[in-house]
């Protein structure tokens, strides 16, 4: 990925994350820290998908895929879109990731779906994930 696309992607991820945490705002973190968060050690780069507009000017949607502690499991990471008009793209990207996982012999895909994240909820309402206990956070936290 070149620097220009990484910058556009990072800004979109940062903006989407901040929008989903308005009630419990994130501590200010510089753009280089966000890049490190996106390119975490466990990210599967060829299984993470970025959708770019046909004019190749903007990142329209993204969905990240990560390694898990279990060898037969992948984890869905952050997903998002530039605007609500393109929200259906998230499900399409996730389906591609499911195919990617199947092609690599992965048996399970897990995800964390925050109810304040409309993008993640798009995935949850489309795919039949088995629910697990809810975690409720009451304190502000930073991304460190």
């Amino acid at each position: 990925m070149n620097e220009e696309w990484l910058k556009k992607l990072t800004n979109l991820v940062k903006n989407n994350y901040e929008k989903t945490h308005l009630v419990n705002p994130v501590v200010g973190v510089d753009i280089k820290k966000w890049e490190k968060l996106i390119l975490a050690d466990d990210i599967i780069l060829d299984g993470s998908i970025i959708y770019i507009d046909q004019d190749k000017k903007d990142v329209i949607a993204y969905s990240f895929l990560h390694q898990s502690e279990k060898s037969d499991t992948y984890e869905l990471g952050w997903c998002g879109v530039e605007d609500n008009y393109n929200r259906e793209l998230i499900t399409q990207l996730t389906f591609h990731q499911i195919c990617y996982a199947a092609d690599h012999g992965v048996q399970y895909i897990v995800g964390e779906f925050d109810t304040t994240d409309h993008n993640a909820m798009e995935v949850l309402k489309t795919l039949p994930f088995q629910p697990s206990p809810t975690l409720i956070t009451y304190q502000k936290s930073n991304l460190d």
Side-chain angles (χ1 to χ4, degrees), residues 1 4 10-12 19 21 28 40 44 46 49 52 55 64 68-69 80 86 101 111 113 116 125-127 129 141:
M1 179 184 307
E4 179 185 351
T10 303
N11 282 313
L12 181 57
K19 286 177 191 173
H21 293 85
I44 304 169
D46 57 342
I49 303 172
I52 298 169
D55 296 329
F64 299 127
S68 171
E69 293 178 5
N86 291 303
F113 304 100
T116 63
K125 77 178 186 183
T126 306
L127 300 173
F129 281 96
S141 63

Side-chain angles (χ1 to χ4, degrees), residues 31-80:
I31 204 73
K32 287 297 181 188
K33 177 69 176 177
W34 275 99
E35 286 179 12
K36 288 180 183 178
L37 290 167
I38 291 170
L39 300 173
D41 291 338
D42 65 346
I43 194 166
I44 304 169
L45 287 176
D46 57 342
S48 297
I49 303 172
I50 301 167
Y51 186 93
I52 298 169
D53 72 350
Q54 64 185 11
D55 296 329
K56 298 184 179 177
K57 292 183 180 179
D58 290 310
V59 175
I60 302 299
Y62 59 89
S63 186
F64 299 127
L65 194 63
H66 297 268
Q67 296 285 342
S68 171
E69 293 178 5
K70 298 177 181 178
S71 61
D72 64 346
T73 304
Y74 282 167
E75 296 177 6
L76 293 174
W78 288 325
C79 63

